[in-house]
Amino acid sequence: MHDRPDFLVIGECVADIVRLPGAPDRVHPGGSPANVAHGLARLGHDTTLLTQLGPDDNGRLIRAHLTGGGVAVRTDDATAPTPAAVVTLDGEGRAAYAFEVTWTLGPVALDRRPRHLHTGSIAAVTEPGAATVSAAVESLRTAATVSYDPNVRPALMGDHAAAVRRVERCVGLSDVVKASDEDLDWLYPGQDPVEAAGRWLAAGPALVLVTRGRDGAAALLPGGRVDA
């Protein structure tokens, strides 16, 4: 065991609820940061997730999923319901989405400092919890490397200009940034995603990664660009 955890992930858990006509709801553990934490722990890393879970069935299901995968889960004292995303499928398979997400994470004392901090998604831009995330990154980045994934969810981002400012602030605090071309299209409509990522690189990160679906990915570094 290391004297401090390999990874601290800060961000939301989401209960992904699939609703079909005439069938009981199916609930799946989700949330982009929670998925990162689960993956890291399954790969054998000492991983802590700082998140928000309600005292409800969805919260208990997600906590069991995470701890079963080896994640140490830390939460604040909030009693808000566990965030949920409901996808309703009609008889022809068409999907409609509804989000029931609040992010009010308050400060949580950490007994050990991480070697690396990862954050992103709703948690980094939705107030009041985003202020807690920002303060944590500010306080830990001198001793830990930082990665960030905006994982844009347009329905939850609020005012576009304010969301862009918050995302760019997170980029400037990070060593590694990963975004999809769809994320960048929403943030900077009409602009080439890789060119936009190049501006992010100039803001401070050592590496910016852009995923482009079937078109592969691009890695931008101070010394050049690599495509895969």
Side-chain angles (χ1 to χ4, degrees):
M1 178 71 69
H2 297 296
D3 60 349
R4 53 183 178 157
D6 285 333
F7 291 94
L8 171 65
V9 180
I10 307 179
E12 73 277 1
C13 297
V14 178
D16 292 328
I17 302 171
V18 179
R19 189 163 291 164
L20 293 165
D25 289 350
R26 289 182 291 147
V27 183
H28 304 275
S32 170
N35 290 340
V36 170
H38 190 265
L40 288 168
R42 289 291 302 273
L43 288 169
H45 295 287
D46 183 1
T47 305
T48 297
L49 174 66
L50 176 54
T51 192
Q52 199 167 348
L53 289 170
D56 48 36
D57 288 345
N58 289 341
R60 286 184 282 273
L61 176 118
I62 293 173
R63 185 184 291 273
H65 167 72
L66 291 166
T67 56
V71 180
V73 179
R74 297 290 303 274
T75 60
D76 65 2
D77 296 325
T79 57
T82 300
V86 181
V87 55
T88 301
L89 301 175
D90 65 17
E92 297 180 3
R94 290 185 295 249
Y97 297 89
F99 295 95
E100 301 169 3
V101 176
T102 58
W103 179 248
T104 60
L105 184 72
V108 176
L110 298 170
D111 52 2
R112 295 187 296 159
R113 297 173 70 85
R115 298 174 188 271
H116 182 84
L117 167 63
H118 175 78
T119 191
S121 197
I122 300 164
V125 296
T126 302
E127 298 292 1
T132 298
V133 176
S134 180
V137 174
E138 290 271 16
S139 67
L140 294 172
R141 68 188 298 262
T142 57
T145 50
V146 178
S147 58
Y148 170 62
D149 175 6
N151 191 42
V152 168
R153 293 292 177 261
L156 300 173
M157 299 295 283
D159 176 75
H160 183 269
V164 170
R165 288 194 297 271
R166 290 181 181 131
V167 167
E168 290 178 344
R169 173 170 173 74
C170 292
V171 168
L173 293 172
S174 301
D175 300 291
V176 177
V177 178
K178 173 267 173 189
S180 70
D181 52 359
E182 291 182 348
D183 293 336
L184 290 158
D185 282 338
W186 186 86
L187 292 164
Y188 308 108
Q191 300 181 33
D192 178 83
V194 177
E195 289 183 6
R199 294 196 301 274
W200 282 4
L201 184 71
L207 172 65
V208 177
L209 300 162
V210 181
T211 56
R212 299 175 294 181
R214 63 185 297 175
D215 295 324
L220 284 71
L221 305 97
R225 169 178 164 179
V226 178
D227 289 276

